[in-house]
Amino acid sequence: MSDSPVLDTRVAAALERRQQPLEALLAEAEPVARACHAMAARFHRGGTLVVFGNGGGSTDAQHICVEFVHPVIVGKRALPALSLTADVATMTGIAARAGFAEVFAHQLRHLSGPDDIALGLSVDGHCVNVLRGFEQARELGMLTVALVGGDGGAVAASPAVDHVLRADSADPRVVKEVHVTMYHVLWELVHVFFEHPGVLTPEVVS
């Protein structure tokens, strides 16, 4: 540690703020496993993962897609994934014509089908366009998975979301860190299930 007791105290407090949400995530092992099992089942049926979010969540969306489409671990199977935040022309075109709230819903309506998975990220759970994306995904019959922070907000409360995975913190920096851990866990467990198709039946996690 440093030579300053004050600095040491602040460092310890900062580490604790980050550790508590990760410990809370460990307590959510069953919801995480259920989400991964459901995602693997959709991939097994030929589905595609479609990811979206705002700000830092938009870069997370692209990161998640890279993990699935081009796994960094040798031998892991590539799985289809698409980020709705990667095409600036499409995003801005929809925003100009239909409004920013529709930038994800519009794309989902024209790109996705009932075998697909909608994965949305929202730091506070109150992103209107992420919520609209989930509502559109539900209309299409897609599986819906939300990564949120804080109390989960309107996204967590929405009946359009099948699986809510929450980072238990109001600090957006901590939420971001926990979300990164969450989606790496999702990637790994989806592969565990997908590589053992005998477990891709509803009763396995019932």
Side-chain angles (χ1 to χ4, degrees):
M1 300 292 279
S2 73
D3 294 329
S4 169
V6 173
L7 182 57
D8 288 349
T9 300
R10 290 179 178 175
V11 169
L15 290 172
E16 184 177 3
R17 285 197 301 273
R18 283 154 174 75
Q19 189 64 30
Q20 289 173 345
L22 288 173
E23 291 173 352
L25 178 59
L26 290 174
E28 296 295 307
E30 182 176 339
V32 171
R34 289 180 180 276
C36 292
H37 182 271
M39 290 173 66
R42 294 296 177 113
F43 279 124
H44 191 62
R45 286 158 47 181
T48 294
L49 176 64
V50 186
V51 197
F52 47 94
N54 297 295
S58 70
T59 58
D60 282 326
Q62 295 178 56
H63 183 172
I64 292 167
C65 289
V66 170
E67 296 283 355
F68 279 90
V69 173
H70 184 65
V72 296
I73 297 178
V74 175
K76 289 295 183 180
R77 178 172 179 171
L79 295 171
L82 171 69
S83 169
L84 299 185
T85 67
D87 186 343
V88 175
T90 296
M91 288 235 347
T92 55
I94 297 168
R97 182 67 63 88
F100 194 62
E102 295 299 312
V103 293
F104 303 135
H106 180 92
Q107 292 184 76
L108 286 163
R109 190 158 53 247
H110 295 284
L111 295 174
S112 302
D115 286 337
D116 296 331
I117 308 153
L119 174 59
L121 302 99
S122 176
V123 168
D124 61 4
H126 291 292
C127 297
V128 175
N129 56 3
V130 172
L131 179 59
R132 281 288 302 122
F134 282 129
E135 291 170 347
Q136 181 62 62
R138 171 49 55 87
E139 289 184 24
L140 294 168
M142 299 172 70
L143 176 72
T144 52
V145 181
L147 271 59
V148 294
D151 65 1
V155 170
S158 173
V161 181
D162 297 312
H163 300 274
V164 176
L165 305 179
R166 186 174 66 88
D168 189 15
S169 176
D171 186 332
R173 299 164 299 177
V174 176
V175 171
K176 170 80 169 180
E177 292 171 359
V178 176
H179 280 178
V180 172
T181 300
M182 281 182 177
Y183 60 70
H184 280 104
V185 170
L186 287 177
W187 177 87
E188 185 163 355
L189 291 185
V190 162
H191 275 84
V192 169
F193 282 122
F194 193 75
E195 291 165 1
H196 298 81
V199 303
L200 294 180
T201 55
E203 61 269 17
V204 170
V205 292
S206 63

